[in-house]
Amino acid sequence: MSPPQPSDSPVPSRRARASRDLVVLGIIGVLLAGAVWAGVAVIGKEFYSASAFVERYLSLVSEGRAGEALAIPGVAVDSTELDAAGLPPYASDALLRRAAMAALSDVSIVSEVETGDATRVTVTYRAGTYQGTTAFDVVRAGQIGLAPTWRFGTSPLAVMDLVVKGSMTFEVNGFEVDKRQVSPDGVDADPLAPVAMLVFSPGIYSVAVDTAISATPGVAVVSDSPFAGIPVEIQAQATEQFVSVVQDRVDEFLVACATQQVLQPTSCPFGYYVQDRIASLPTWSIVQQPAVTLEPEGAGWVIPPTEAVAHIEVDIRSIFDGSIDPVSEDVPFIVTATITIAPDGKATITVGGPDTR
């Protein structure tokens, strides 16, 4: 009998196991590669996407980091770009600072949609009590390694065209502005001309006047449209303190007028006309002072025509027969006045009236 031959079965068994190991390793490699690419995609969306770019800008604006927000590509603009967009090319950058900015809250990306060469990122947010939505157009600016870089295709800045009547100074979110400092005309700035100022969008800006002379409640202005004009007009009213001061000065002026013992007090808004001669020096008194109200006019104020009453005591000699008649008569008259405000804040009051000589 022949001796038993050694079996070949272990060899195929080892090959089978090796093949299975290679397959498993291949599957693991594919899964790892997928995980890596998935991680890259997540990281890209989180840090390098168009939405992440916009979120970075909004975060800086909300935190009042104006300089860093302006440094983001596509935010800062020059006069040529403003003019091309139909916006005032001389718009001031005075409000592009922390002191004039207000925080945003509840910022959320709504969508990211490619539109031709640009990507439109739409966000919602809360600015004060205003719930807003703004769309930003961003474009690819290049690439760093595998990561894309972005820039705003349309600047997110806007221009506030602000007319403030009744004051040369005002406040925006508590930051004080003088028209003569932000107007291209400087000290010759027209007090009724709008001043153009760049603002961040989105943003909320409270515009108010609060001086010893004039004041107005804050007006909330929302900037929610990138690279657009925002017309704003506010009317300041004279403060009670200012009206009281003007009333005192007018009263003093008229009382001084009443000390003149003539029929027509010089540069005063009242007088008395006679065709005969006077037999005694006239004596004047003010029996009803005008109730002063103030209305803005240009950079100053006016007292609109206001009724008042003087009283005259005088003896009149008739040129016909020489007889003397005592006159004691109330003389109604009209008071007007202009109040000019100097650059240092001092007020000059000029009182007049229809009968002023």
Side-chain angles (χ1 to χ4, degrees):
M1 176 178 283
S2 301
Q5 297 295 320
S7 173
D8 293 334
S9 59
V11 174
S13 178
R14 286 195 297 271
R15 289 177 178 175
R17 285 197 299 271
S19 297
R20 286 195 301 271
D21 291 344
L22 289 174
V23 170
V24 170
L25 290 173
I27 293 172
I28 292 173
V30 170
L31 293 174
L32 286 174
V36 169
W37 282 110
V40 170
V42 170
I43 292 172
K45 183 176 181 180
E46 183 73 21
F47 298 103
Y48 302 108
S49 66
S51 294
F53 173 79
V54 171
E55 282 186 306
R56 170 63 175 164
Y57 163 76
L58 293 173
S59 175
L60 293 174
V61 170
S62 184
E63 294 171 8
R65 296 158 67 181
E68 294 174 71
L70 286 170
I72 288 181
V75 175
V77 293
D78 57 27
S79 59
T80 302
E81 293 171 286
L82 289 167
D83 192 39
L87 298 171
Y90 49 80
S92 168
D93 61 359
L95 300 183
L96 301 180
R97 64 182 69 206
R98 178 188 294 271
M101 298 169 69
L104 303 173
S105 61
D106 301 334
V107 177
S108 178
I109 301 294
V110 174
S111 64
E112 178 181 317
V113 180
E114 291 189 9
T115 57
D117 295 333
T119 299
R120 174 156 292 185
V121 179
T122 302
V123 302
T124 59
Y125 51 86
R126 182 172 291 277
T129 60
Y130 174 78
Q131 183 67 45
T133 300
T134 298
F136 300 93
D137 288 332
V138 298
V139 296
R140 290 282 293 268
Q143 193 163 313
I144 299 176
L146 296 176
T149 58
W150 302 89
R151 64 178 289 110
F152 284 104
T154 299
S155 172
L157 299 182
V159 177
M160 185 190 302
D161 280 310
L162 179 60
V163 177
V164 178
K165 297 180 179 179
S167 179
M168 287 297 283
T169 62
F170 55 92
E171 295 179 355
V172 179
N173 287 344
F175 176 71
E176 186 171 304
V177 180
D178 189 307
K179 295 177 188 177
R180 292 158 291 200
Q181 295 174 336
V182 296
S183 168
D185 296 325
V187 295
D188 297 322
D190 181 346
L192 296 182
V195 289
M197 292 174 292
L198 291 165
V199 293
F200 288 104
S201 183
I204 186 166
Y205 297 87
S206 176
V207 183
V209 174
D210 185 15
T211 70
I213 290 175
S214 58
T216 181
V219 176
V221 179
V222 177
S223 169
D224 57 5
S225 298
F227 225 47
I230 309 169
V232 183
E233 182 174 317
I234 63 172
Q235 174 67 71
Q237 300 297 326
T239 62
E240 292 183 3
Q241 176 186 359
F242 184 41
V243 173
S244 178
V245 169
V246 174
Q247 179 76 65
D248 290 344
R249 297 297 177 269
V250 171
D251 292 352
E252 292 169 2
F253 174 81
L254 295 177
V255 168
C257 281
T259 63
Q260 299 184 43
Q261 292 185 298
V262 293
L263 292 176
Q264 303 294 326
T266 304
S267 301
C268 296
F270 58 83
Y272 191 76
Y273 299 90
V274 298
Q275 293 182 336
D276 296 313
R277 295 187 177 90
I278 60 174
S280 65
L281 292 177
T283 301
W284 287 98
S285 60
I286 304 299
V287 296
Q288 179 186 318
Q289 290 282 6
V292 167
T293 60
L294 295 178
E295 297 177 356
E297 183 176 80
W301 301 82
V302 296
I303 298 176
T306 305
E307 295 180 351
V309 180
H311 185 84
I312 187 170
E313 301 276 350
V314 64
D315 293 332
I316 303 297
R317 184 187 302 276
S318 171
I319 60 174
F320 178 71
D321 60 11
S323 61
I324 297 176
D325 292 319
V327 172
S328 178
E329 187 176 329
D330 285 346
V331 181
F333 63 98
I334 299 296
V335 172
T336 62
T338 58
I339 300 96
T340 56
I341 309 299
D344 62 2
K346 293 182 179 179
T348 300
I349 303 171
T350 304
V351 181
D355 299 323
T356 302
R357 293 291 184 268

